[in-house]
Amino acid sequence: MNKKNIPILSCITGRKGGNSCGSMFNFKYLLLAATIALFIIMFGIGSVSFRGFFSLKVFFDLFIDNPFLFIAAIGMTFVIITGGIDLSVGSVAALTTMITGTLVEIHGVSPAVVLPFVLLVGSSIGFLIGIMVHFFKIQPFIATLGGMFLARGIALMINTDSITLNNSFFKAVSNYHIPVIGNAFITINVVILLSVVVIAIILAHYTNFGRTVYAIGGNEQSAILMGLPVGRTKILVYTISGFCSALAGVTMMFYMPSGNPLHGVGMEMDVIAAVVIGGTMLTGGSGYMLGTVFGVLILGTIATLINFQGGSVNPWWIRIINAALILIFCLLQIIFEKKGRKIAKS
Amino acid sequence: MAGFNLRNIMGKVAGFFSAASRSGLLWPVIFLGLILLVNAVINPGFFDIEIKDGRLSGSLIDIMNRSSYIVLLAIGMTFVVATAGIDISVGAVVAISAAISAYLIGGTLVVENGVQQYVSFMPMPVAIIAALLIATALGMWNGLLISRMGLQPIIATLILMVAGRGIAQLITSGQIITIYYKPFFFIGGGYLFGIPFSIYIVAAVLAVVMFLKKRTALGLFIQSVGINKTATRFAGINSSNIILWVYAFSGFCAGIVGLLVCSNNKSADGNNAGYNMELDAILAVVLGGTSLAGGKFYIMGSVIGGLIIQSLTTTIFSIKEIKPEANLVVKAVIVFVVCLIQSESFRKKVAGVIFLREKKSL
């Protein structure tokens, strides 16, 4: 892609019906800025209100406690940018933990073989969903709903009980701490999730694949007419999401070494919420990987804030606050979009 | 002569099939029939209906009774889907409606003048009306966000879905509220003239909906909003209001289901009441032949879709060789199979080409 193409592409990557190109782009940055600002404000509120909140440890814990949300949300962002949705993430993650648990603990297979295998299984489920969405024009909502039932059902059929992973590898990984500054540390999960984020940012913003993803979300018909590989990209996007879900399942096992068919129940909704709070439009066509990262950080901060409150706040407020945040962000998106259009017209 | 007759019969059969196919009910009915047939083969007494203690009992009655939740939600959902929307908040609304009715009725056993009496916290009609009104209001909240603020349906209803269970938990203060007021149990568990009362509720809602669809232009309006919202507005129809009321109706249906669930379980559980029901309802609508892209919709299809899901569950639980855990896998397979068969591009790719040529040559 040479530089000449970029203005045209920024038109496509703008939202549906947007003919505003340049100015719209700025407004999208504004939304990302709003997400980051909200995170800083929330973290600030916590730091002022609670002793010991403002520390690297609390900040790193946001990553250490939610690696699966980060990774699944990154995969979901790709899907949502194309205008789709993936409801299967939580179940695929659970299936991953169950397959690993059974193969490693009961059949004694080495994790070195099992982990690549489960990642392959997750990717294949995503691949199949992608094929159904692209070739057979089944709505993503229904196709991934089927994937969700399938993965959860297989996980339950393998075993309805939880399997504890006593394998030395999982114990070693989950106990391994990488010291950073002072007594703050990160885990292997954080390294995995940060590499996923970096790869995703490169994929989304610096490759032909990424541009096609945005183009499909902007207007699939135009993308086809432009000769972009729409089908291949769409299938690949669901495959990536399946891979990310499986990887999220792997990080779950690194976080707490067990396989459980009921891991990640309802996780897809948290993930979608994080992506939306991160400023990605569900209509597709716009959004940033970095925004998603901050979206998950915001959800994590809310949970941490409520934890710091101790017993004084009903934990059910977490859900209500999350919902309010989604509402606020969607309304902001709409306001920004309208303003962007007005400026573009004048 | 024989050939001629055969051709005549074939023509009639083909005519029947094409009529059924036009009404959109062909595939759903075939699937329901297949599932029931499998049941009949496995369990010869499957179609038997007996009268026990003045009540009809049998597998078919059981399936109809149990499917009332999904069918009611699916009826409300069909209109939403027809306007090219989706309502994933119905499960949460079910939980809220159940919580409100349980909170308002509560009920205690009081002994007055030596007579045991069940006393409700509020009069039962008040509780029922309050639960239905609040459920409808929640639906209208969805509708307002979508039609007035321009939010996407899935996001607007996601907000209520995420918040809804929190709200339900706040109403029940995180507890499971148990109800001790007998008359309330009639709604979800009672029998009228030997038939479960919930079937009457479903039939009443269905009758009203079918009347509105067949005898008024409302069905056409909803369909046209789903096909092209802007064009519909230009044609002089208030698209926004139609969208608003469609979501309100979906909320209302969820409210009824909340009452049924609460009355049947004799308790309200903010966490589990209506859990994943939205997915089953959407599935029923899709199995019934209504496209999530909006436009043409099939109320009876959705009803049959709901029956398919319920009879599938009943079948799996009744076959001892299949573990109940397999329910989800079978459901997934059915989703894929039905969606693939209904998908035009799939049919064209697999068999459509051959059939089309045959039709043309005829």
Side-chain angles (χ1 to χ4, degrees):
Chain A
M1 283 278 162
N2 54 25
K3 274 188 180 171
K4 270 182 191 171
N5 275 344
I6 287 169
I8 304 167
L9 275 162
S10 76
C11 269
I12 299 165
T13 56
R15 294 172 205 115
K16 268 178 196 164
N19 50 358
S20 41
C21 302
S23 61
M24 190 93 116
F25 220 60
N26 295 337
F27 276 104
K28 282 194 308 190
Y29 277 126
L30 206 59
L31 207 58
L32 182 64
T35 309
I36 297 174
L38 180 73
F39 170 67
I40 294 171
I41 290 169
M42 295 193 99
F43 208 79
I45 291 173
S47 313
V48 175
S49 325
F50 303 107
R51 189 187 287 258
F53 192 96
F54 187 75
S55 64
L56 270 180
K57 190 184 173 315
V58 170
F59 181 69
F60 284 151
D61 276 350
L62 292 178
F63 291 94
I64 292 171
D65 292 338
N66 306 304
F68 27 89
L69 277 189
F70 280 100
I71 295 171
I74 288 292
M76 181 78 84
T77 310
F78 277 111
V79 175
I80 290 182
I81 290 175
T82 64
I85 199 154
D86 189 351
L87 299 180
S88 67
V89 288
S91 323
V92 172
L95 177 62
T96 310
T97 67
M98 282 314 284
I99 295 179
T100 315
T102 315
L103 287 182
V104 171
E105 287 303 318
I106 296 170
H107 299 284
V109 185
S110 157
V113 181
V114 174
L115 291 183
F117 173 70
V118 288
L119 291 177
L120 188 70
V121 170
S123 313
S124 329
I125 293 177
F127 180 73
L128 289 178
I129 290 173
I131 283 186
M132 280 193 289
V133 169
H134 175 65
F135 284 115
F136 304 130
K137 306 277 178 289
I138 295 177
Q139 288 104 345
F141 190 94
I142 291 297
T144 56
L145 179 65
M148 170 186 174
F149 286 159
L150 187 72
R152 181 77 66 196
I154 296 176
L156 279 168
M157 279 178 84
I158 292 175
N159 202 334
T160 45
D161 298 326
S162 163
I163 301 172
T164 313
L165 286 161
N166 293 317
N167 189 289
S168 55
F169 171 74
F170 286 98
K171 290 215 155 160
V173 171
S174 62
N175 291 328
Y176 191 76
H177 293 168
I178 305 164
V180 186
I181 311 165
N183 55 3
F185 62 85
I186 56 173
T187 55
I188 299 217
N189 274 339
V190 180
V191 177
I192 298 175
L193 90 86
L194 289 180
S195 11
V196 168
V197 169
V198 170
I199 294 170
I201 289 176
I202 294 171
L203 262 182
H205 302 305
Y206 300 100
T207 62
N208 291 349
F209 166 76
R211 293 194 191 94
T212 314
V213 168
Y214 279 94
I216 293 173
N219 190 331
E220 193 173 332
Q221 211 55 42
S222 313
I224 294 171
L225 290 175
M226 278 177 76
L228 294 171
V230 170
R232 197 180 70 197
T233 309
K234 261 170 105 174
I235 293 172
L236 208 56
V237 157
Y238 286 95
T239 313
I240 289 176
S241 183
F243 174 82
C244 284
S245 314
L247 194 59
V250 171
T251 57
M252 270 177 187
M253 288 182 289
F254 289 164
Y255 181 65
M256 39 182 169
S258 76
N260 190 329
L262 296 178
H263 268 325
V265 169
M267 186 173 114
E268 52 281 345
M269 290 306 159
D270 284 340
V271 170
I272 294 170
V275 174
V276 170
I277 292 174
T280 302
M281 298 271 289
L282 272 178
T283 31
S286 79
Y288 293 97
M289 292 298 158
L290 201 61
T292 299
V293 172
F294 278 94
V296 181
L297 283 176
I298 288 171
L299 290 188
T301 312
I302 295 171
T304 315
L305 275 172
I306 301 249
N307 275 343
F308 264 75
Q309 292 273 5
S312 62
V313 171
N314 194 322
W316 289 102
W317 281 105
I318 296 182
R319 303 192 71 132
I320 297 175
I321 295 170
N322 283 356
L325 276 182
I326 303 174
L327 177 63
I328 292 169
F329 266 82
C330 288
L331 293 181
L332 273 182
Q333 282 177 347
I334 289 166
I335 291 167
F336 285 162
E337 190 181 30
K338 276 185 184 159
K339 277 202 173 165
R341 271 196 201 148
K342 261 185 201 165
I343 288 172
K345 269 183 190 169
S346 66
Chain B
M1 276 302 270
F4 183 71
N5 269 341
L6 192 68
R7 203 167 167 189
N8 215 351
I9 293 164
M10 288 278 280
K12 271 185 183 160
V13 169
F16 167 76
F17 269 86
S18 71
S21 160
R22 259 200 307 278
S23 75
L25 293 178
L26 178 65
W27 292 111
V29 168
I30 288 180
F31 264 97
L32 185 59
L34 272 180
I35 294 171
L36 294 181
L37 209 67
V38 167
N39 267 302
V41 169
I42 295 167
N43 172 14
F46 182 75
F47 286 107
D48 294 355
I49 293 177
E50 297 172 342
I51 298 177
K52 275 185 196 162
D53 316 326
R55 291 169 179 182
L56 292 179
S57 75
S59 304
L60 288 181
I61 299 284
D62 188 51
I63 288 173
M64 274 168 73
N65 189 15
R66 278 168 200 267
S67 67
S68 56
Y69 302 162
I70 307 176
V71 168
L72 272 175
L73 290 178
I75 291 173
M77 186 74 75
T78 311
F79 287 122
V80 170
V81 169
T83 63
I86 199 160
D87 187 351
I88 55 173
S89 71
V90 287
V93 177
V94 167
I96 293 177
S97 159
I100 290 170
S101 53
Y103 177 77
L104 289 183
I105 288 176
T108 38
L109 187 64
V110 181
V111 182
E112 252 178 56
N113 305 329
V115 183
Q116 286 189 340
Q117 268 193 319
Y118 294 95
V119 180
S120 62
F121 175 55
M122 285 271 189
M124 194 169 86
V126 173
I128 291 175
I129 291 170
L132 290 181
L133 271 185
I134 290 175
T136 313
L138 288 171
M140 283 180 77
W141 156 262
N142 281 336
L144 281 176
L145 283 181
I146 294 158
S147 65
R148 299 301 192 276
M149 307 301 291
L151 248 66
Q152 263 192 289
I154 189 165
I155 263 295
T157 52
L158 174 76
I159 291 168
L160 187 55
M161 183 197 185
V162 173
R165 287 198 183 275
I167 295 170
Q169 288 285 347
L170 287 178
I171 295 171
T172 62
S173 21
Q175 308 284 319
I176 296 175
I177 299 185
T178 316
I179 300 176
Y180 301 99
Y181 183 63
K182 271 210 167 145
F184 184 64
F185 301 156
F186 182 75
I187 301 175
Y191 283 76
L192 187 65
F193 307 124
I195 296 173
F197 187 66
S198 51
I199 295 180
Y200 288 100
I201 297 180
V202 176
V205 172
L206 189 61
V208 171
V209 163
M210 288 310 276
F211 175 79
L212 287 178
K213 191 194 169 191
K214 299 265 179 191
R215 300 284 164 190
T216 70
L218 193 66
L220 202 62
F221 289 176
I222 290 171
Q223 194 172 318
S224 72
V225 167
I227 292 166
N228 191 331
K229 203 168 76 182
T230 318
T232 310
R233 206 182 68 235
F234 285 152
I237 298 162
N238 193 334
S239 301
S240 300
N241 273 354
I242 286 181
I243 292 176
L244 173 66
W245 288 109
V246 153
Y247 283 91
F249 180 67
S250 175
F252 174 75
C253 288
I256 301 178
V257 175
L259 289 176
L260 289 179
V261 169
C262 181
S263 148
N264 205 10
N265 296 346
K266 303 182 169 86
S267 65
D269 179 356
N271 231 356
N272 292 320
Y275 186 74
N276 267 355
M277 267 190 195
E278 58 276 347
L279 299 181
D280 276 342
I282 295 167
L283 202 57
V285 172
V286 173
L287 291 181
T290 306
S291 157
L292 280 186
K296 214 159 169 47
F297 62 100
Y298 307 97
I299 300 279
M300 282 318 284
S302 302
V303 173
I304 293 170
L307 289 173
I308 291 177
I309 295 175
Q310 187 54 51
S311 33
L312 204 65
T313 314
T314 310
T315 312
I316 289 165
F317 284 126
S318 68
I319 301 174
K320 286 191 186 89
E321 285 77 27
I322 302 180
K323 281 198 279 182
E325 292 91 66
N327 192 358
L328 278 174
V329 177
V330 176
K331 224 164 161 180
V333 172
I334 297 281
V335 174
F336 289 143
V337 169
V338 174
C339 286
L340 285 179
I341 286 176
Q342 286 179 353
S343 146
E344 222 160 275
S345 39
F346 179 79
R347 279 199 302 229
K348 266 183 198 160
K349 266 174 196 136
V350 176
V353 182
I354 311 160
F355 283 135
L356 274 178
R357 271 184 199 150
E358 271 185 6
K359 249 186 193 171
K360 269 176 197 165
S361 67
L362 272 172

